[in-house]
Amino acid sequence: ELAATDLAHTLFVKLPKFALVDISSTISSGDFKFNGAAAASNGKIIFAPYHADGVGVFDPSDNSFVLVDIASTISTDWKFIGAAAASNGKVIFAPFHADGVGVFDPSDNSFVLVDISSTISSGDGIYKFNGAAAASNGKIIFAPYHADGVGVFDPSDNSFVLVDIASTISTDSKFIGAATAGNGKVIFAPYNADGVGVFDPSDNSFALVDISSTISTDNKFQGAATASNGKVIFVPSAADGLGIFEVTNFACDASTAPTNGGLGNCTDT
């Protein structure tokens, strides 16, 4: 035991604590259960179903977990990747293989699949979007993966628009992850794309900021988050470093601007 005089000079450090909450009695074993999560306004954490045939609802106040069955609505694999909480309290899931946007209401655990098959077809539509972010105007923005457009979903009326970006980038496996920057623009983390995606929800314009002089390998980053200093941080996948993007620090060539009012091809300055 330490003497009282020793205690005065002792530094007490609280070590991090990790717990694994068992959910095996609720959802059977298997890989790829969920892919993406969002915090609901009621404090619960909502998991986007990937292979799981239900929405995961976790209550951090008591570590309880509920699986809300959605098999009667959708039961295919590879359903959604990414979740974002809307201003109306609902949680929106970005469609990956699903032919609709997932809309989950944490207040009553109801689920709706909003059909978007007339807007984005099979083909590029097989691996549509990978990541979601809530814009300041209330819309939910989906990061394009194979889709040649940015997905824009309005939770107020369940409407969906695909903003064509094919004139700027049309490769597959473009981006993984989205984050809303302090200036209101939504930033997409480059996966195979050789540039950072910058989408402005106020006018649906899109810019691709070239980063190929810094990194040009595939499988660069997976995931994005906005730091308190306004910079957007990309989570490294195959990249040997994490990405730091300063939203205001790029210049664009107006002559390459797409017809929808985008900024054209841009370069990080």
Side-chain angles (χ1 to χ4, degrees):
E1 294 184 2
L2 293 171
T5 54
D6 295 327
L7 286 173
H9 302 286
T10 302
L11 176 65
F12 290 92
V13 178
K14 188 174 183 179
L15 297 176
K17 184 178 180 181
F18 174 81
L20 185 67
V21 179
D22 185 16
I23 61 171
S24 60
S25 63
T26 304
I27 183 171
S28 59
S29 60
D31 295 331
F32 313 118
K33 296 177 179 69
F34 308 100
N35 202 325
S41 56
N42 62 3
K44 297 179 181 179
I45 308 299
I46 310 301
F47 301 148
Y50 194 48
H51 281 198
D53 286 332
V55 176
V57 180
F58 179 73
D59 190 339
S61 68
D62 59 7
N63 284 358
S64 61
F65 177 81
V66 173
L67 185 70
V68 179
D69 185 19
I70 61 170
S72 61
T73 304
I74 182 172
S75 59
T76 57
D77 287 340
W78 322 103
K79 299 174 184 68
F80 309 101
I81 297 182
S87 57
N88 61 3
K90 296 178 180 179
V91 176
I92 312 301
F93 303 139
F96 192 59
H97 272 211
D99 285 328
V101 176
V103 180
F104 181 76
D105 191 338
S107 68
D108 59 6
N109 285 355
S110 61
F111 176 82
V112 173
L113 186 69
V114 179
D115 184 18
I116 61 170
S117 59
S118 63
T119 304
I120 181 169
S121 60
S122 58
D124 279 351
I126 294 176
Y127 305 103
K128 300 175 181 69
F129 307 103
N130 200 320
S136 55
N137 62 2
K139 296 180 181 179
I140 306 299
I141 311 302
F142 301 143
Y145 189 63
H146 280 200
D148 285 332
V150 176
V152 179
F153 181 76
D154 191 338
S156 68
D157 59 7
N158 285 357
S159 60
F160 176 82
V161 174
L162 185 70
V163 179
D164 185 18
I165 61 170
S167 62
T168 304
I169 181 172
S170 59
T171 57
D172 288 340
S173 308
K174 300 174 183 68
F175 308 103
I176 294 183
T180 301
N183 64 357
K185 295 181 181 180
V186 176
I187 311 302
F188 303 138
Y191 188 61
N192 282 1
D194 284 331
V196 175
V198 180
F199 182 76
D200 191 337
S202 68
D203 60 6
N204 284 357
S205 62
F206 176 80
L208 185 70
V209 180
D210 184 18
I211 60 169
S212 59
S213 63
T214 304
I215 181 172
S216 59
T217 58
D218 285 343
N219 312 329
K220 299 175 185 68
F221 307 103
Q222 293 192 58
T226 303
S228 58
N229 62 3
K231 297 178 182 180
V232 177
I233 312 302
F234 301 141
V235 181
S237 180
D240 289 330
L242 56 86
I244 302 177
F245 182 69
E246 192 165 351
V247 182
T248 58
N249 203 30
F250 59 89
C252 303
D253 179 5
S255 67
T256 63
T259 56
N260 71 352
L263 298 175
N265 296 326
C266 305
T267 305
D268 186 8
T269 60

